[in-house]
Amino acid sequence: MQNQDIWDLFTRKEEYSPKKLDEHQRFLFSEEDLRNASEPVVSRYLIKHGMQVEFPENKSFAVCLTHDVDDIYPPLSHSLLSSVYSLKRLDLKGSVDQLMWKLRGAGYSPYLNFSKIMDIEAKFGAKSSFYFITAEADPVRLRYDIEDIEDHLGEISDRGWEIGLHGGYYSYNSLEKIKQEKERLEAALGRKVIGFRNHYLRFKTPDSWEILADAGFGYDSTFGHRYSIGFRNGMCHPFNPYNLNTGKEIDILEIPLVIMDVALFATSKSFEEAWERTKNLIDITASLNGVITLLWHNFVFSCEFRKDWARLYEKVLHYCYGKRAWITSGEEIYRWWRDGV
């Protein structure tokens, strides 16, 4: 690739005047784009031309673990399907529990599983980011009231994991709405939040970055693929975006999303294929001293029909731990990149 091609890919020039958008007004990538996304050509170019990256304790690469908290109460469809899967395994108690938790109270929801997720990660010396919704408007249903789970927020924060904002479906292009959602989360949490990812990965280049910078966020991690996995702009490193319209760098760090559970399994024919594709991206990132960002939704860890997804997550943690990766949250990546790189 020529230097201009590298620059156009890095800035995602073609997204400024998109020819096609999907039903959620997201940029619609071509098949060629998706095939090429497995190679971080911009990061490779930068490393070749002298960029050096260091991580704490001489780790050679980093894994940024994230969880979008779309639901804290299972939709009826989830409860029914999990109950059926439990019955298939002759787990009668599990089947009943999936259906009857509401009778015991909202606090017994299987999707209030943040401690469970943190315990899994702690076994590998890892931390992660949880992105919570505070928007009231949603195309499917009211998700939850953040004030109802202040105790859970406190536990997550006290243990040293990150809480960020999962921006509402209708908020990605509205500074006013994002500010309101941020303030609501901060009021419930009792501290500032710096991390962001938008619901449904709705994002407009470069406008979303400008809005998030104006709203006071330190970093975003929306910038990835909804229908596949890989490197959206050829980067396997965090970066400050550049606005081609203003000719200026935007004052926010992007920690690009590389692998989302839903997209990975939707485009893999088996558990083994999903693992091999994931391992390949991890190995490529490690070879370039990069950062690979994973998104596993919280419901996966308490969902009978997504056990393979949870199993793959632990397999990834085990593999990356063995490769001596720095496995941590978006907030810690952001602070290290801001202060140490």
Side-chain angles (χ1 to χ4, degrees):
M1 297 180 77
Q2 300 297 314
N3 288 359
Q4 187 61 50
D5 295 329
I6 293 287
W7 179 247
D8 290 347
L9 176 58
F10 171 72
T11 58
R12 291 302 305 168
K13 181 180 178 180
E14 67 173 324
E15 294 189 34
Y16 280 65
S17 301
K19 296 178 181 178
K20 289 184 179 181
L21 299 174
D22 71 5
E23 68 272 25
H24 300 292
Q25 299 302 298
R26 298 172 299 204
F27 184 81
L28 197 59
F29 292 88
S30 68
E31 290 297 324
E32 182 180 4
D33 284 335
L34 297 178
R35 284 195 300 271
N36 293 337
S38 61
E39 176 58 33
V41 294
V42 179
S43 282
R44 193 176 296 282
Y45 175 90
L46 293 173
I47 293 292
K48 181 180 178 181
H49 287 80
M51 185 176 80
Q52 296 182 342
V53 180
E54 296 180 352
F55 293 109
E57 300 177 1
N58 292 319
K59 305 288 189 180
S60 62
F61 74 107
V63 181
C64 180
L65 301 179
T66 69
H67 309 287
D68 290 359
V69 185
D70 291 351
D71 291 292
I72 62 172
Y73 309 117
L76 179 59
S77 59
H78 282 208
S79 295
L80 291 172
L81 200 51
S82 285
S83 180
V84 169
Y85 270 70
S86 294
L87 277 178
K88 285 182 178 179
R89 297 199 327 272
L90 303 180
D91 179 7
L92 181 59
K93 181 180 183 302
S95 178
V96 172
D97 287 346
Q98 289 290 338
L99 294 173
M100 306 301 288
W101 64 266
K102 281 188 177 181
L103 296 180
R104 303 173 66 191
Y108 289 91
S109 168
Y111 289 2
L112 290 171
N113 55 3
F114 316 119
S115 295
K116 177 180 180 179
I117 295 170
M118 290 188 288
D119 288 345
I120 291 170
E121 293 164 350
K123 291 189 300 183
F124 300 94
K127 293 182 180 179
S128 66
S129 301
F130 292 90
Y131 302 113
F132 286 90
I133 293 173
T134 62
E136 295 184 356
D138 187 90
V140 178
R141 58 184 171 272
L142 172 64
R143 298 290 173 160
Y144 49 86
D145 289 322
I146 195 68
E147 293 80 10
D148 292 344
I149 55 169
E150 288 184 3
D151 289 347
H152 290 276
L153 299 182
E155 181 194 359
I156 294 169
S157 183
D158 288 346
R159 289 183 64 170
W161 272 245
E162 183 194 6
I163 291 171
L165 179 64
H166 197 30
Y169 180 88
Y170 300 106
S171 309
Y172 77 105
N173 58 355
S174 170
L175 175 60
E176 180 182 2
K177 289 179 181 178
I178 286 178
K179 278 186 172 180
Q180 290 173 350
E181 293 171 21
K182 183 174 184 282
E183 290 169 0
R184 184 178 179 187
L185 179 58
E186 289 173 342
L189 179 61
R191 56 170 289 189
K192 295 290 185 182
V193 297
I194 62 169
F196 182 90
R197 177 180 291 132
N198 211 81
H199 197 29
Y200 280 70
L201 301 185
R202 298 190 88 193
F203 189 92
K204 179 172 173 50
T205 304
D207 302 10
S208 294
W209 282 316
E210 294 285 6
I211 289 172
L212 294 175
D214 289 343
F217 287 96
Y219 79 88
D220 170 68
S221 192
T222 308
F223 196 67
H225 287 290
R226 169 61 183 87
Y227 296 107
S228 187
I229 61 175
F231 310 100
R232 180 164 173 168
N233 72 334
M235 287 291 290
C236 66
H237 296 90
F239 62 92
N240 285 98
Y242 186 88
N243 190 331
L244 293 174
N245 292 331
T246 64
K248 295 179 180 179
E249 193 174 83
I250 304 172
D251 186 22
I252 193 166
L253 186 72
E254 179 62 41
I255 307 176
L257 174 61
V258 180
I259 301 175
M260 177 172 68
D261 51 8
V262 177
L264 172 65
F265 280 92
T267 56
S268 299
K269 296 177 182 178
S270 65
F271 178 91
E272 290 72 22
E273 182 183 346
W275 162 242
E276 288 301 325
R277 294 173 70 204
T278 300
K279 179 178 178 295
N280 178 59
L281 293 179
I282 292 170
D283 291 343
I284 290 173
T285 301
S287 72
L288 295 171
N289 307 120
V291 177
I292 185 166
T293 303
L294 310 179
L295 159 54
W296 250 248
H297 292 79
N298 69 301
F299 76 86
V300 167
F301 299 89
S302 300
C303 196
E304 292 299 315
F305 57 93
R306 291 290 181 253
K307 280 189 173 293
D308 274 355
W309 297 21
R311 182 161 64 95
L312 183 61
Y313 187 77
E314 290 201 51
K315 187 177 180 72
V316 167
L317 292 182
H318 187 272
Y319 182 70
C320 292
Y321 181 79
K323 289 176 72 71
R324 296 197 69 254
W326 183 32
I327 313 174
T328 191
S329 66
E331 180 177 14
E332 292 202 348
I333 295 286
Y334 162 75
R335 297 195 186 284
W336 176 262
W337 214 261
R338 181 194 64 184
D339 299 335
V341 176

